[in-house]
Amino acid sequence: MVYVPNYVDLSLFNNKQQTKESGSINIIYPRRCCEERGFYIMAEIIPKILNKYSNVTFNLVGYPHTKDIEKIINDLIAKYPNNVKHQVADAEKMADLYQQADIAIIPTLYCEGTSLSCIEAMACGNAIITTDIGGLPNLIINNYNGILAEPTLESINESLKKVITDSKFRNSLSQKALDVANAFSKNEWETKWKKILGKYLN
C-alpha cells in the first residue's frame, strides 16, 4: 500500500495579498453547515467571540443541511449584521475567500479524510484551528502550523481566543501553514503517482 494524500493547486491557492481592514480579523468556516462538521459548536462560539471582540467577522461558507440550521444562520446574521456572513460558494471561488481570511476553523466532530479545506486554507496562509479527528492530525502539528483542539465547545473556543489575541502566535501559525502546504502541492501529488504508475506500467 502507498499513501498518496489529496493535493492543493498552489497556482490557485496561495498567499495572494488581499486588502483588509486594519485591525480586523476575518474567520472562515469553510464547511457544509451540518452537525458532523461542527456547525452547532460554531453557532455557540460565534456569540461568545463577538460579544468580546468587536473587530472579528465570521464567514460561514457552506450549504445549510436543515431548516433548523438555516434559521440559526439567519438569526446570527440578524443579531450581528456586520460581523456574520453566510454564502454557498463554488469551488473556483474558494481561493479568494481563504485569501480574505486570517483564521480558518475546521471543527470536524465525527470523521475526516485528508481535508481539502484544511490544505487549501494552509496554502492561503490561514492560521488553522481544527479538531484531532481522522486525517486532520496528518496535516496539522499542534501549535506549529495550526492548533489541534479537542472536538468540544470549550477547547475550540479557547483555541480561537488564543489565536485572536496573540498576533505573534497567529502569524507564526500562518507562516508555518504556508511552509507545510508545499508538501501537499499538486506537483508533489503528480510526482508520486508517476512513480507508482511507472513501477507497474513500465
Side-chain angles (χ1 to χ4, degrees):
M1 296 179 68
V2 179
Y3 171 59
V4 182
N6 288 332
Y7 68 83
V8 60
D9 187 345
L10 296 178
S11 68
L12 299 175
F13 293 88
N14 50 59
N15 194 30
K16 178 182 177 183
Q17 294 299 312
Q18 296 280 344
T19 301
K20 299 177 182 177
E21 183 180 343
S22 178
S24 66
I25 297 177
N26 187 1
I27 300 169
I28 187 171
Y29 168 80
R31 318 294 284 158
R32 292 180 290 114
C33 296
C34 56
E35 181 183 2
E36 60 268 27
R37 293 294 182 250
F39 172 79
Y40 289 110
I41 285 180
M42 284 301 304
E44 291 190 62
I45 285 175
I46 288 172
K48 293 178 182 293
I49 295 297
L50 294 183
N51 290 337
K52 192 168 185 178
Y53 307 104
S54 60
N55 63 324
V56 170
T57 59
F58 285 89
N59 191 9
L60 309 175
V61 185
Y63 176 75
H65 275 227
T66 67
K67 291 293 183 182
D68 171 60
I69 288 174
E70 189 173 4
K71 182 180 184 303
I72 292 172
I73 292 171
N74 290 334
D75 288 346
L76 286 169
I77 293 172
K79 188 173 183 179
Y80 306 101
N82 297 319
N83 301 87
V84 178
K85 303 174 184 176
H86 173 251
Q87 58 188 299
V88 179
D90 294 333
E92 60 267 20
K93 295 182 180 179
M94 287 305 300
D96 184 59
L97 296 176
Y98 287 122
Q99 288 161 357
Q100 294 173 29
D102 302 287
I103 301 168
I105 301 186
I106 302 170
T108 298
L109 297 184
Y110 301 150
C111 62
E112 187 80 57
T114 306
S115 171
L116 281 175
S117 297
C118 186
I119 299 173
E120 291 169 354
M122 283 197 299
C124 293
N126 291 174
I128 311 295
I129 298 173
T130 189
T131 47
D132 190 3
I133 297 289
L136 290 165
N138 294 334
L139 306 176
I140 298 298
I141 301 170
N142 193 34
N143 291 320
Y144 178 75
N145 65 322
I147 293 180
L148 283 174
E150 296 177 12
T152 65
L153 170 65
E154 294 76 13
S155 181
I156 297 169
N157 189 48
E158 287 303 310
S159 299
L160 182 53
K161 287 193 293 184
K162 180 179 180 181
V163 176
I164 288 172
T165 56
D166 190 339
S167 60
K168 184 176 180 180
F169 179 56
R170 184 173 68 248
N171 291 335
S172 175
L173 293 181
S174 171
Q175 184 56 56
K176 296 298 191 301
L178 288 170
D179 295 341
V180 173
N182 288 316
F184 297 93
S185 71
K186 186 177 181 180
N187 288 340
E188 287 289 327
W189 181 86
E190 290 176 342
T191 298
K192 290 176 181 177
W193 270 111
K194 286 176 181 177
K195 184 177 180 180
I196 294 168
L197 295 174
K199 179 178 179 180
Y200 294 102
L201 301 178
N202 294 317

